[in-house]
Amino acid sequence: MRSALNELPEIPALVADGVITDPDSAKGRLLSASATLFKQKGFARTTVRDIAAEVGILSGSIFHHFPNKESILLAVMSEAIYLALARMRNAIEGEASIPKRFRALVRCELEAIHGFTGVGFTLLSSEWRYLSEESQKEVLKLRDEYEAFHRGVYAEAKEQGLIKVEPFFLRHFLRGALAETANWFHLDGDYSLDELVEQVSLTAALPS
């Protein structure tokens, strides 16, 4: 079965560059199954045997791709950030309007939070503590790049007088608010994703 991730336009280039794993490969299917189980059961309660059963392979086969369970979690998180970064860059490429760029970034983050790009992105907060110190540093480096991307657009908005709050504070407020939508916003609910993006933009006092 072809992975839904392969429908995303960013995937082929990222796979070709060796940045992420081909979702349709054996390793890609293993990562996808692992991410889903980590989301459903938690990293600590998910066993290698659980992952193998989900993929339909022997437990020992997993170690042909990853040395241990933590390395799977690290790959899931890292690839989720690489994909999010690529989608954000594509979303604002050639767009001069700061409000439109802001809305594009908000939409990209909401799509990641609500599973458009797989469940790996949501694991960054819930399962972070299970990474070793070395692995945390690796993910933090990518996360810093992701956060700097957001703050760069916010800084341009402030320079143009479109917002008054400092980019650092705005980003922290919005990151928490967007993450919280996982607990109350539903794609099949009363509001569409586009409407949610617009409400977030109004909250930031950005013009249309």
Side-chain angles (χ1 to χ4, degrees):
M1 182 177 178
R2 182 177 172 81
S3 170
L5 284 180
N6 255 331
E7 303 303 321
L8 299 175
E10 296 83 8
I11 293 294
L14 292 174
V15 171
D17 290 341
V19 174
I20 69 171
T21 306
D22 182 352
D24 286 332
S25 68
K27 185 177 180 180
R29 292 192 296 274
L30 193 159
L31 283 175
S32 178
S34 299
T36 299
L37 288 171
F38 295 159
K39 176 70 174 177
Q40 293 173 346
K41 302 177 61 173
F43 176 81
R45 292 188 298 275
T46 300
T47 66
V48 170
R49 184 173 294 180
D50 291 334
I51 297 171
E54 185 72 16
V55 182
I57 59 176
L58 296 174
S59 298
S61 299
I62 289 177
F63 301 111
H64 292 302
H65 302 287
F66 297 98
N68 51 50
K69 192 174 69 166
E70 189 213 335
S71 64
I72 300 176
L73 180 62
L74 173 61
V76 167
M77 289 183 173
S78 299
E79 293 195 10
I81 300 175
Y82 277 123
L83 179 55
L85 276 166
R87 286 177 63 77
M88 289 194 304
R89 292 191 180 103
N90 286 346
I92 70 170
E93 185 178 8
E95 179 55 69
S97 166
I98 295 299
K100 288 182 179 179
R101 293 170 73 183
F102 177 90
R103 284 169 171 78
L105 294 189
V106 169
R107 184 180 181 88
C108 283
E109 185 153 352
L110 284 171
E111 287 179 346
I113 289 169
H114 291 277
F116 281 66
T117 57
V119 300
F121 195 84
T122 60
L123 297 175
L124 287 164
S125 57
S126 65
E127 307 304 306
W128 166 260
R129 64 190 181 279
Y130 294 110
L131 290 177
S132 66
E133 183 177 350
E134 183 178 354
S135 294
Q136 285 184 357
K137 288 179 180 178
E138 187 173 335
V139 174
L140 274 177
K141 185 176 180 180
L142 287 174
R143 181 106 188 195
D144 286 347
E145 184 179 352
Y146 178 88
E147 292 299 323
F149 197 97
H150 277 272
R151 291 196 302 271
V153 172
Y154 301 173
E156 290 184 65
K158 190 171 190 301
E159 288 170 5
Q160 293 186 19
L162 299 176
I163 60 173
K164 295 181 180 180
V165 67
E166 288 296 324
F168 175 83
F169 291 107
L170 178 59
R171 176 54 190 157
H172 277 283
F173 284 133
L174 284 181
R175 184 176 64 196
L178 295 180
E180 179 63 19
T181 65
N183 295 320
W184 60 265
F185 176 77
H186 303 284
L187 295 174
D188 57 355
D190 295 333
Y191 297 96
S192 68
L193 191 64
D194 286 334
E195 289 172 319
L196 179 56
V197 170
E198 186 59 28
Q199 290 300 313
V200 172
S201 301
L202 291 174
T203 301
L206 273 173
S208 298

